[in-house]
Amino acid sequence: MRKGARITGSARDKLTTDLRRKYEKGLSIRALADGTGRSYGFVHRLLVDADVPLRGRGGATRTKKK
């Protein structure tokens, strides 16, 4: 798949299914974007359009000092 090429129809459906499976196995959206050569926003949009429940951002949280 060429970088920036428009993906439609069955190719888009196949990519969405593949990304969904990998995301549900624990890969991040950023890792999926890097692996496919697509942007973070494109991968995020595909997952949202496919009704995939997205994980929280994670990372360290700030706590109030005692």
Side-chain angles (χ1 to χ4, degrees), residues 5-57:
R6 187 173 297 267
I7 302 173
T8 59
S10 63
R12 187 180 182 103
D13 294 339
K14 184 179 181 306
L15 179 61
T16 300
T17 302
D18 186 46
L19 292 175
R20 176 184 199 135
R21 186 176 45 78
K22 289 178 180 178
Y23 183 77
E24 288 174 345
K25 285 187 176 182
L27 281 174
S28 68
I29 294 177
R30 250 179 235 298
L32 294 171
D34 290 343
T36 58
R38 307 305 293 194
S39 70
Y40 176 94
F42 176 81
V43 173
H44 184 273
R45 191 173 334 109
L46 282 183
L47 294 174
V48 168
D49 289 348
D51 295 324
V52 175
L54 300 179
R55 296 187 294 269
R57 289 179 53 158

